Amino acid sequence: MGNFKFGVSLREIGSRDAWIAKCRRAEELGYDVITVPDHLGTGRFAPFPVLAMAGAVTERPRLGTLVSNVPFYNLALFAREASSTAALLDGRLDLGLGAGHMKSEFDAAGLPWHNAATRIGYLGESIGYLRKHFDDEGIAQPRLLIAGNSDGVLDLAARHADVVGFGGLRQQPGKPPGTFKLDNAEAMDERVAFFQARATRETEYNMLVQHVEITGDRRAAAEAWHEKTERSAVADAGELLDAPQLVLGTVEEIAGQLVARRERYGFSYITVFEHALETFAPVIEELSKRP
């Protein structure tokens, strides 16, 4: 299954100095990849400029989008932004692509909201367009991450991605777009098996962890998270103990969980959100001591 790789999704830029400090801290703590999301709203930022700055103030981590909301963009303009950033990052870009899932953001941008099949079709079209653009510009192709949970997106990832991103979230039936439920461990088995049955290339498996908690009482932590978030729309809190989207326990327990989940699912590239930047760091250190 290979060694682990760890990423952090930084979601708030703050001031220029704060952004620089945050990127350098992520590198210092041992994170291998710094990623940024692509959302609209107060406090959100344009992904590519901040990735370029992150590249200027760090040396080791790869930099990427997790993920670019492709249906937001005209492909010619998106390709220009991505290739310019790739050139500035000199081979360190991980270009993450997704089909979009928040109707409210499309509404805010004055963009049409299409059904899932249309958005996934546009995502598929973007892959060939981007590759041709990079070739025409003479810029090395970035590593391509395709993330999602639907059959259509996972099928694209199976055919085109260097990294497949599993989030383990799916739209709740009858709820507004962007209202998710968390897949349990068995549902994640099915999603990984679906991908593997279609994979045509060697692909790295990424898991975007929704919650990290260092605790001596895993069940109490699962119950508290289950109670406060709609994303845990599972039968009971006990299911969360095995869900790979959450890591709960002591540092040693979490390290063991990640090893077990790597064996079960193939998740060797683990990404946590910014709020877990410091919390998760001891787990990185612990796993660095293990074979």
Side-chain angles (χ1 to χ4, degrees):
M1 294 293 183
N3 296 326
F4 281 106
K5 184 167 75 178
F6 299 104
V8 60
S9 176
L10 300 181
R11 305 176 75 81
E12 302 291 339
I13 186 171
S15 67
R16 176 183 183 277
D17 289 346
W19 177 248
I20 291 171
K22 196 181 301 182
C23 293
R24 287 175 172 165
R25 181 59 175 161
E27 181 172 31
E28 179 184 11
L29 290 172
Y31 288 92
D32 303 292
V33 188
I34 295 170
T35 61
V36 296
D38 188 8
H39 292 297
L40 298 181
T42 303
R44 301 297 190 182
F45 46 82
F48 291 121
V50 297
L51 287 176
M53 175 170 276
V57 301
T58 62
E59 296 181 1
R60 182 183 54 81
R62 298 187 64 81
L63 294 310
T65 50
L66 193 65
V67 287
S68 294
N69 192 342
V70 176
F72 274 171
Y73 299 99
N74 170 283
L75 291 184
L77 300 181
F78 180 70
R80 182 183 66 173
E81 294 294 315
S83 62
S84 298
T85 306
L88 291 172
L89 294 180
D90 194 24
R92 293 165 65 192
L93 178 64
D94 285 353
L95 184 58
L97 305 178
H101 58 260
M102 298 294 290
K103 181 178 182 298
S104 60
E105 294 185 338
F106 285 78
D107 292 343
L111 295 170
W113 172 254
H114 297 295
N115 62 29
T118 301
R119 299 196 317 274
I120 293 169
Y122 191 69
L123 173 62
E125 179 185 347
S126 75
I127 296 168
Y129 189 100
L130 287 164
R131 285 183 170 153
K132 183 178 186 305
H133 178 84
F134 274 83
D135 285 341
D136 289 346
E137 294 295 322
I139 298 171
Q141 298 280 339
R143 280 171 57 82
L144 185 65
L145 180 151
I146 299 176
N149 201 53
S150 68
D151 289 359
V153 173
L154 291 179
D155 183 68
L156 281 176
R159 291 183 284 120
H160 299 289
D162 301 298
V163 185
V164 55
F166 290 92
L169 300 173
R170 67 181 67 204
Q171 174 69 33
Q172 292 194 43
K175 297 291 184 68
T179 307
F180 299 111
K181 67 170 290 186
L182 195 81
D183 277 349
N184 62 18
E186 290 71 29
M188 286 304 309
D189 283 327
E190 185 277 328
R191 289 290 77 192
V192 170
F194 177 92
F195 174 83
Q196 290 174 335
R198 290 155 179 78
T200 61
R201 52 192 288 142
E202 185 174 345
T203 313
E204 188 174 27
Y205 290 21
N206 172 258
M207 166 50 62
L208 178 59
V209 171
Q210 298 295 315
H211 183 59
V212 177
E213 188 168 341
I214 307 298
T215 176
D217 191 338
R218 297 185 67 234
R219 180 166 290 275
E223 290 174 350
W225 197 81
H226 184 269
E227 182 178 347
K228 75 179 182 181
T229 175
E230 291 185 357
R231 285 190 173 186
S232 59
V234 294
D236 61 70
E239 290 188 70
L240 297 177
L241 295 174
D242 294 324
Q245 306 92 320
L246 278 71
V247 291
L248 312 169
T250 65
V251 169
E252 293 76 16
E253 285 175 333
I254 290 173
Q257 291 163 35
L258 292 178
V259 171
R261 292 165 184 176
R262 181 179 62 186
E263 294 303 313
R264 178 171 178 172
Y265 302 106
F267 298 148
S268 60
Y269 171 15
I270 308 298
T271 299
V272 300
F273 288 117
E274 180 175 336
H275 58 76
L277 173 70
E278 299 285 346
T279 304
F280 189 70
V283 179
I284 297 176
E285 183 178 2
E286 172 68 20
L287 283 168
S288 72
K289 303 172 187 175
R290 302 189 181 193

